[in-house]
Amino acid sequence: QVQLVESGGGLVQTGGSLRLSCATSGRTFSNIVMGWFRQAPGKEREFVAAIRWNDGTTHYVDSVKDRFTISRDNANNTVYLQMNSLKPEDTAVYYCAAKYGVLYLTNARGYDYWGQGTQVTVSS
């Protein structure tokens, strides 16, 4: 079974940057999509970004596509979310997720594995 561990969350001022990391362990497949979701208190879990592991192609929700970058490091089996120009509305718990296959999904229920989440707080 695949295990995911997020790190890199914290407190940052508006306009600042954070880089989240998602380290994987256990058996993985080359045809896998890894995604980032976020959930603020009282709100639904929201898709943020996803990347195909095999070729590195990416997909973003419109609200972050000019500010966030998802990437992968094959050698370290790690996916990153570089977050720039952060806004208070980005405040949420961020979750790393993985699913089998090569198709992007924006629905959290389509993902097979989840990390524990890491808190990102952006102060005004």
Side-chain angles (χ1 to χ4, degrees), residues 6-10 12 16-22 36 68-73 76 78-84 86 94 118-120:
E6 303 101 329
S7 62
V12 66
S17 298
L18 286 172
R19 189 177 73 161
L20 306 183
S21 299
C22 177
W36 288 97
F68 293 7
T69 302
I70 188 171
S71 62
R72 77 201 196 286
D73 185 334
N76 294 304
T78 302
V79 64
Y80 303 96
L81 185 68
Q82 178 67 48
M83 304 184 294
N84 299 323
L86 283 162
Y94 283 70
T118 185
Q119 177 71 48
V120 172

Side-chain angles (χ1 to χ4, degrees), residues 16-97:
S17 298
L18 286 172
R19 189 177 73 161
L20 306 183
S21 299
C22 177
T24 69
S25 63
R27 188 163 185 168
T28 60
F29 299 91
S30 59
N31 288 343
I32 194 168
V33 173
M34 299 192 69
W36 288 97
F37 290 76
R38 64 188 182 186
Q39 188 166 21
K43 295 188 177 182
E44 298 290 326
R45 188 165 297 189
E46 176 191 26
F47 171 81
V48 177
I51 185 168
R52 291 193 182 110
W53 195 265
N54 59 358
D55 63 8
T57 56
T58 59
H59 179 68
Y60 300 90
V61 68
D62 287 345
S63 61
V64 309
K65 67 190 309 178
D66 295 328
R67 301 182 294 121
F68 293 7
T69 302
I70 188 171
S71 62
R72 77 201 196 286
D73 185 334
N74 289 349
N76 294 304
N77 294 318
T78 302
V79 64
Y80 303 96
L81 185 68
Q82 178 67 48
M83 304 184 294
N84 299 323
S85 302
L86 283 162
K87 306 173 182 179
E89 51 262 44
D90 295 317
T91 295
V93 177
Y94 283 70
Y95 297 91
C96 179

